[in-house]
Amino acid sequence: VPVEAFDLIVFGGTGDLARRKLLPALYHRFAAGQTPGDALIIGAARRRMDGAGYRDFAREALTEFVPESHLKPDLVEGFIAMLDYVPVDAATEAGWAALGRKLKGREARPRAFYLSVAPQFFGQICERIGRGRLVTPETRLVVEKPLGRDLASARALNAQLASHFDEHQIYRIDHYLGKETVQNLMALRFANALFEPLWNANHIDHVQITAAESVGVGERGGYYDQNGAMRDMVQNHLMQLLCLSAMEPPSRFDPDAVRDEKLKVLKALRPIEGAAIDEEIVRGQYEAGPDGPAYREEAGDPESRTECFIALKIGVENWRWAGTPFYLRTGKRLKARHTEIAIRFKDAPHSIFGDSAGALKGNALVITLQPNEGIELRLNIKDPGPGGMRIVSAPLDMSFGSGAGDAFRMPDAYERLLMDVIRGDQTLFMRGDEVEAAWAWIDPIIAGCEEGRAPPAPYAQRAEGPMESHILLHKDGRRWREIA
Ligand code: NAD
């Protein structure tokens, strides 16, 4: 469905995110006929250049980050024609009057300011947007992680944004929510009568959420070391996936109904404090190995106690989930790049097939986000052939494809999210209170870790994290799914 003509101002339009994600995403939507040719996209950053310079910059970005088969010269030129540029300094007055002039007379159109800059500039940019009277009733503001590094800073950031924008104008991106399979998790749960009656502690043994990366921290080690996996991945992406898996059915698929339910999940999380941190949290750091130096070396601190792997056992304290834990893990330099949510149902109560049939494992619903999006339901079936009644686990598979050479291209999360911004639909964006509730739960864990709890254990590269992570589930008689 095409969106109406809009103006999008990308602060940090010359940065890495703009080059790799935003410009390609906007191109794909234009190529699909979703964005009208009279949309205006203004790059705004410190670098001195003019509109023509920015159009060259964008052309190069598309060549690098859009698959060649999707680069049609007339479409590229049509898209490039929508681009303009204004040199603007967030920290001074330079460029702001020129930006105001470009936007003059365009107040009736949806207008979006995308802050693709370091968060220390958010306050100044909002302030200058406000002072320049650039906020119209149809204005939206888009921000991305990191949204604070603890509850206090998240509150301060929310207050900064709120001084010039209403909550209904603020779009906090968590790009995991823009993934097709994540939205499909909601469709699966709430558009089918099949799953919801089973979606509770009576039938679900536990839930595993894994976000494994094969890369290390590399040259960003020094920066990463100030944050760690808990801030970088758990507070935002993994907790959002937990919320969508655990939330009650909202009464309507509308932004506040959905976000109210997610917030209730965050508020129902059992606090992990004091000695429980050692019991329910495992942290790790990779050692030197085939893919590069040890984490501590890349971090530039031989004594670093920051985790680049973390596993957590989380309880959701409500009627639906009492007794069914959610296990989360994420880490770098693991065996493969793989992100999934696995809902593990309880074992069948009794096997009529006898011991020789093989163990009847509980069914699993596996929602894969990366590298290939797809949904798989694992069922127990008879092993085909004359070998007797042997039971094996087999998948009902609904993978969305996207292997190299596939004609079908899975839209990137940013495509969906950018169009939602223009449409004014906040359903897939985090509300300020959600971000704060996630930090409120995380703060005591980080504080405990800083006092020496759950010290990071070393782990080998290309493996599945430290042994302690396996023990975390083993203690409960469970095991992680293999990272593959
Ligand atoms: P980057 O360093 O590549 O780009 C920063 C941009 O900010 C540049 O365009 C630069 O010109 C501009 N800038 C810097 N100082 C400025 C100033 N004083 N006034 C105006 N513009 C200024 O950073 P990035 O990787 O593109 O990331 C941007 C933001 O998005 C960061 O907050 C980052 O945490 C977040 N983010 C990035 C990614 C990613 O994949 N790169 C993913 C998620 C979130």
Side-chain angles (χ1 to χ4, degrees):
V1 183
V3 296
E4 59 182 305
F6 60 88
D7 296 336
L8 170 67
I9 301 93
V10 184
F11 289 98
T14 58
D16 176 64
L17 183 66
R19 230 163 52 84
R20 276 192 314 116
K21 291 289 183 184
L22 306 183
L23 289 168
L26 290 162
Y27 167 76
H28 281 302
R29 289 300 91 210
F30 174 75
Q34 201 174 10
T35 54
D38 58 345
L40 172 64
I41 299 166
I42 302 180
R46 237 175 359 175
R47 198 188 299 179
R48 302 216 64 83
M49 66 169 130
D50 58 8
Y54 194 58
R55 287 188 280 277
D56 287 342
F57 170 88
R59 224 177 255 115
E60 279 171 31
L62 298 187
T63 310
E64 195 171 349
F65 295 106
V66 173
E68 210 179 327
S69 57
H70 291 269
L71 278 178
K72 306 273 184 314
D74 51 332
L75 289 176
V76 171
E77 289 317 306
F79 173 72
I80 294 286
M82 305 193 301
L83 302 182
D84 201 350
Y85 185 80
V86 189
V88 165
D89 190 342
T92 71
E93 292 304 321
W96 287 89
L99 179 62
R101 283 195 295 278
K102 293 246 185 223
L103 294 174
K104 201 154 180 60
R106 309 174 69 87
E107 289 72 15
R109 295 161 58 125
R111 173 180 294 181
F113 294 105
Y114 198 121
L115 306 194
S116 182
V117 294
Q120 75 253 30
F121 294 121
F122 288 3
Q124 289 168 305
I125 293 180
C126 290
E127 182 66 37
R128 292 197 157 84
I129 291 173
R131 247 194 281 146
R133 301 190 181 284
L134 303 181
V135 183
T136 60
E138 282 299 305
T139 290
R140 305 98 162 82
L141 178 77
V142 189
V143 292
E144 272 221 39
K145 78 170 188 181
L147 300 174
R149 54 177 285 111
D150 52 24
L151 178 58
S153 55
R155 278 193 179 138
L157 174 62
N158 279 339
Q160 255 175 358
L161 305 180
S163 58
H164 296 283
F165 297 88
D166 285 340
E167 182 61 35
H168 79 270
Q169 297 180 300
I170 303 173
Y171 290 71
R172 295 177 190 80
I173 287 202
D174 187 315
H175 70 269
Y176 277 49
L177 299 185
K179 292 199 175 279
E180 283 293 320
T181 34
V182 173
Q183 296 164 54
N184 247 315
L185 170 60
M186 286 190 278
L188 206 65
R189 283 190 62 190
F190 305 133
N192 297 286
L194 186 61
F195 292 108
E196 207 44 32
L198 305 178
W199 207 267
N200 55 54
N202 293 335
H203 301 283
I204 294 179
D205 180 73
H206 70 280
V207 176
Q208 298 186 7
I209 303 179
T210 296
E213 295 179 76
S214 51
V215 295
V217 293
E219 288 170 3
R220 295 180 69 246
Y223 169 77
Y224 183 91
D225 199 53
Q226 298 163 23
N227 298 303
M230 188 71 154
R231 289 192 170 99
D232 190 48
M233 290 293 293
V234 177
Q235 188 275 341
N236 36 52
H237 308 314
L238 296 196
M239 293 193 68
Q240 286 293 318
L241 298 183
L242 185 157
C243 285
L244 292 177
S245 311
M247 73 182 185
E248 296 298 315
S251 56
R252 292 175 308 281
F253 190 63
D254 86 14
D256 278 326
V258 170
R259 298 184 300 174
D260 286 347
E261 294 307 334
K262 283 160 62 194
L263 182 64
K264 284 186 208 160
V265 174
L266 291 166
K267 291 189 169 171
L269 300 182
R270 183 170 59 234
I272 305 181
E273 292 171 351
I277 295 175
D278 291 311
E279 287 296 312
E280 292 169 5
I281 305 244
V282 170
R283 298 192 303 142
Q285 294 173 330
Y286 53 81
E287 301 174 296
D291 297 319
Y295 170 76
R296 286 180 167 189
E297 188 175 324
E298 292 189 320
D301 177 1
E303 309 268 289
S304 167
R305 298 175 60 83
T306 304
E307 76 287 346
C308 57
F309 174 96
I310 188 163
L312 307 91
K313 175 183 176 182
I314 301 180
V316 181
E317 295 190 309
N318 59 22
W319 274 56
R320 184 183 285 264
W321 295 115
T324 289
F326 286 69
Y327 299 99
L328 273 50
R329 68 178 160 167
T330 180
K332 296 197 180 276
R333 282 259 187 268
L334 298 177
K335 211 162 130 189
R337 172 170 172 260
H338 188 87
T339 303
E340 68 170 34
I341 304 169
I343 314 290
R344 173 68 151 75
F345 291 89
K346 291 192 169 165
D347 293 343
H350 166 69
S351 170
I352 64 168
F353 303 110
D355 292 343
S356 60
L360 294 192
K361 284 214 294 191
N363 304 116
L365 178 69
V366 183
I367 297 139
T368 308
L369 285 69
Q370 273 177 157
N372 297 321
E373 297 196 46
I375 299 177
E376 183 182 290
L377 180 62
R378 295 207 71 91
L379 299 175
N380 295 318
I381 60 161
K382 179 188 168 298
D383 197 5
M389 198 56 161
R390 284 196 56 79
I391 305 295
V392 292
S393 168
L396 265 183
D397 194 348
M398 187 173 69
S399 51
F400 299 135
S402 74
D406 265 5
F408 177 71
R409 186 189 65 85
M410 199 66 176
D412 186 72
Y414 281 94
E415 296 177 44
R416 165 69 199 249
L417 295 174
L418 281 163
M419 293 302 102
D420 281 358
V421 169
I422 304 305
R423 283 193 205 98
D425 182 347
Q426 290 185 303
T427 311
L428 299 178
F429 297 82
M430 293 177 291
R431 212 167 51 192
D433 52 2
E434 281 181 75
V435 175
E436 291 183 16
W439 280 121
W441 183 77
I442 288 221
D443 268 6
I445 303 178
I446 292 183
C449 292
E450 282 171 357
E451 284 161 14
R453 299 251 182 221
Y459 63 92
Q461 297 187 4
R462 298 191 187 176
E464 301 200 339
M467 183 51 67
E468 288 79 351
S469 163
H470 294 289
I471 295 171
L472 180 72
L473 269 70
H474 190 74
K475 285 190 295 196
D476 296 342
R478 301 183 173 109
R479 42 193 314 172
W480 288 111
R481 282 168 46 83
E482 193 181 337
I483 296 174

Short mmCIF file of all heavy atoms in Angstrom, two decimals, residues 8 79 83 93 111 147 165 202 211 239 248 306 308 313 343 359 390 411 422 431 440 466 482:
data_model
loop_
_atom_site.label_atom_id
_atom_site.label_comp_id
_atom_site.label_asym_id
_atom_site.label_seq_id
_atom_site.Cartn_x
_atom_site.Cartn_y
_atom_site.Cartn_z
N LEU A 8 11.56 13.38 4.92
CA LEU A 8 12.34 12.64 5.92
C LEU A 8 13.70 13.31 6.05
O LEU A 8 14.38 13.51 5.05
CB LEU A 8 12.50 11.19 5.47
CG LEU A 8 13.48 10.32 6.25
CD1 LEU A 8 12.99 10.08 7.68
CD2 LEU A 8 13.66 8.96 5.55
N PHE A 79 14.96 7.44 -7.55
CA PHE A 79 15.12 7.52 -6.10
C PHE A 79 16.08 8.63 -5.72
O PHE A 79 15.80 9.46 -4.85
CB PHE A 79 15.64 6.17 -5.56
CG PHE A 79 16.00 6.22 -4.10
CD1 PHE A 79 15.02 6.30 -3.13
CD2 PHE A 79 17.32 6.21 -3.69
CE1 PHE A 79 15.34 6.36 -1.78
CE2 PHE A 79 17.66 6.28 -2.35
CZ PHE A 79 16.66 6.36 -1.39
N LEU A 83 16.58 12.99 -3.21
CA LEU A 83 17.52 13.27 -2.13
C LEU A 83 18.07 14.69 -2.16
O LEU A 83 18.29 15.27 -3.23
CB LEU A 83 18.71 12.31 -2.19
CG LEU A 83 18.40 10.81 -2.13
CD1 LEU A 83 19.70 10.01 -2.15
CD2 LEU A 83 17.62 10.48 -0.88
N GLU A 93 24.78 26.42 15.89
CA GLU A 93 23.66 26.92 15.08
C GLU A 93 23.86 26.65 13.60
O GLU A 93 22.95 26.85 12.79
CB GLU A 93 23.49 28.43 15.29
CG GLU A 93 23.01 28.82 16.69
CD GLU A 93 21.70 28.12 17.06
OE1 GLU A 93 20.82 27.98 16.18
OE2 GLU A 93 21.58 27.67 18.22
N ARG A 111 6.19 14.52 8.34
CA ARG A 111 7.59 14.92 8.40
C ARG A 111 8.27 14.05 9.47
O ARG A 111 7.77 13.96 10.59
CB ARG A 111 7.65 16.40 8.81
CG ARG A 111 9.03 16.92 9.08
CD ARG A 111 8.98 18.38 9.47
NE ARG A 111 8.52 19.25 8.38
CZ ARG A 111 8.41 20.58 8.49
NH1 ARG A 111 8.71 21.19 9.63
NH2 ARG A 111 7.99 21.30 7.48
N LEU A 147 19.22 3.40 23.99
CA LEU A 147 18.28 4.30 24.64
C LEU A 147 18.60 4.28 26.13
O LEU A 147 17.92 3.63 26.93
CB LEU A 147 16.85 3.87 24.35
CG LEU A 147 16.49 3.86 22.85
CD1 LEU A 147 15.11 3.28 22.60
CD2 LEU A 147 16.56 5.27 22.26
N PHE A 165 8.53 16.72 21.91
CA PHE A 165 7.68 15.81 21.15
C PHE A 165 6.72 15.09 22.10
O PHE A 165 7.10 14.74 23.21
CB PHE A 165 8.52 14.75 20.41
CG PHE A 165 9.44 15.35 19.38
CD1 PHE A 165 10.71 15.78 19.73
CD2 PHE A 165 9.02 15.50 18.07
CE1 PHE A 165 11.55 16.35 18.78
CE2 PHE A 165 9.86 16.07 17.12
CZ PHE A 165 11.12 16.50 17.47
N ASN A 202 0.77 -24.77 31.34
CA ASN A 202 0.25 -26.14 31.36
C ASN A 202 0.83 -26.97 30.23
O ASN A 202 0.95 -28.19 30.34
CB ASN A 202 -1.28 -26.14 31.22
CG ASN A 202 -1.95 -25.54 32.44
OD1 ASN A 202 -1.37 -25.55 33.53
ND2 ASN A 202 -3.14 -24.98 32.25
N ALA A 211 20.32 -15.47 20.51
CA ALA A 211 20.83 -14.58 19.45
C ALA A 211 22.34 -14.78 19.41
O ALA A 211 23.08 -14.18 20.19
CB ALA A 211 20.48 -13.13 19.74
N MET A 239 14.69 -8.82 25.17
CA MET A 239 13.52 -8.60 26.03
C MET A 239 12.28 -8.29 25.20
O MET A 239 11.16 -8.64 25.58
CB MET A 239 13.82 -7.52 27.05
CG MET A 239 14.89 -8.05 28.01
SD MET A 239 15.14 -7.10 29.48
CE MET A 239 13.66 -7.36 30.35
N GLU A 248 -0.07 -11.31 26.92
CA GLU A 248 -1.47 -11.71 26.78
C GLU A 248 -1.98 -11.18 25.44
O GLU A 248 -1.45 -10.19 24.91
CB GLU A 248 -2.30 -11.08 27.90
CG GLU A 248 -1.93 -11.55 29.29
CD GLU A 248 -2.14 -13.04 29.47
OE1 GLU A 248 -3.20 -13.54 29.06
OE2 GLU A 248 -1.23 -13.71 30.01
N THR A 306 33.65 -7.24 31.50
CA THR A 306 32.44 -7.05 30.69
C THR A 306 32.15 -8.35 29.93
O THR A 306 33.06 -8.98 29.41
CB THR A 306 32.67 -5.92 29.67
OG1 THR A 306 33.06 -4.76 30.40
CG2 THR A 306 31.42 -5.63 28.88
N CYS A 308 30.75 -10.69 26.87
CA CYS A 308 30.34 -10.69 25.46
C CYS A 308 29.50 -11.92 25.20
O CYS A 308 29.16 -12.24 24.08
CB CYS A 308 31.55 -10.59 24.53
SG CYS A 308 32.74 -11.89 24.80
N LYS A 313 18.21 -17.14 33.08
CA LYS A 313 16.95 -17.86 33.33
C LYS A 313 15.97 -16.86 33.91
O LYS A 313 16.24 -16.25 34.95
CB LYS A 313 17.19 -19.01 34.32
CG LYS A 313 15.93 -19.73 34.71
CD LYS A 313 16.22 -20.79 35.75
CE LYS A 313 14.92 -21.43 36.22
NZ LYS A 313 15.15 -22.44 37.27
N ILE A 343 9.84 -22.42 21.26
CA ILE A 343 8.82 -22.73 22.27
C ILE A 343 8.82 -24.24 22.42
O ILE A 343 8.49 -24.96 21.48
CB ILE A 343 7.41 -22.29 21.79
CG1 ILE A 343 7.42 -20.87 21.20
CG2 ILE A 343 6.37 -22.47 22.89
CD1 ILE A 343 7.64 -19.77 22.16
N ALA A 359 12.76 -42.07 22.27
CA ALA A 359 12.18 -41.12 23.22
C ALA A 359 11.22 -40.19 22.49
O ALA A 359 11.49 -39.77 21.37
CB ALA A 359 13.30 -40.32 23.88
N ARG A 390 8.88 -46.84 14.76
CA ARG A 390 9.89 -45.99 15.40
C ARG A 390 9.46 -44.55 15.23
O ARG A 390 9.00 -44.14 14.17
CB ARG A 390 11.26 -46.21 14.75
CG ARG A 390 11.91 -47.52 15.21
CD ARG A 390 13.39 -47.52 14.88
NE ARG A 390 14.09 -46.36 15.46
CZ ARG A 390 14.45 -46.28 16.73
NH1 ARG A 390 14.22 -47.27 17.57
NH2 ARG A 390 15.07 -45.20 17.18
N PRO A 411 12.04 -8.51 2.70
CA PRO A 411 12.28 -7.09 2.99
C PRO A 411 13.05 -6.92 4.29
O PRO A 411 12.83 -7.67 5.24
CB PRO A 411 10.88 -6.49 3.12
CG PRO A 411 9.92 -7.56 2.80
CD PRO A 411 10.63 -8.87 2.71
N ILE A 422 6.16 6.70 8.48
CA ILE A 422 5.46 7.63 7.59
C ILE A 422 3.94 7.49 7.78
O ILE A 422 3.21 8.47 7.84
CB ILE A 422 5.82 7.36 6.11
CG1 ILE A 422 7.34 7.45 5.91
CG2 ILE A 422 5.09 8.33 5.18
CD1 ILE A 422 7.98 8.73 6.36
N ARG A 431 7.53 1.96 23.43
CA ARG A 431 7.07 3.15 24.14
C ARG A 431 8.08 3.46 25.25
O ARG A 431 8.79 2.57 25.71
CB ARG A 431 5.68 2.86 24.72
CG ARG A 431 4.77 4.05 24.82
CD ARG A 431 3.35 3.62 25.08
NE ARG A 431 3.27 2.70 26.23
CZ ARG A 431 2.18 2.01 26.54
NH1 ARG A 431 1.08 2.12 25.81
NH2 ARG A 431 2.16 1.20 27.58
N ALA A 440 14.63 -1.00 34.50
CA ALA A 440 14.38 -1.15 35.93
C ALA A 440 14.65 -2.60 36.36
O ALA A 440 15.12 -2.85 37.47
CB ALA A 440 12.93 -0.76 36.26
N PRO A 466 30.23 -20.59 27.38
CA PRO A 466 30.91 -21.34 28.45
C PRO A 466 30.09 -22.54 28.92
O PRO A 466 28.88 -22.57 28.77
CB PRO A 466 31.04 -20.29 29.58
CG PRO A 466 30.11 -19.18 29.24
CD PRO A 466 29.84 -19.23 27.77
N GLU A 482 20.83 -26.90 19.80
CA GLU A 482 22.15 -26.67 19.22
C GLU A 482 22.13 -25.40 18.37
O GLU A 482 21.15 -25.12 17.67
CB GLU A 482 22.52 -27.87 18.36
CG GLU A 482 23.96 -27.88 17.97
CD GLU A 482 24.29 -29.09 17.09
OE1 GLU A 482 23.56 -30.10 17.15
OE2 GLU A 482 25.29 -28.98 16.36
#
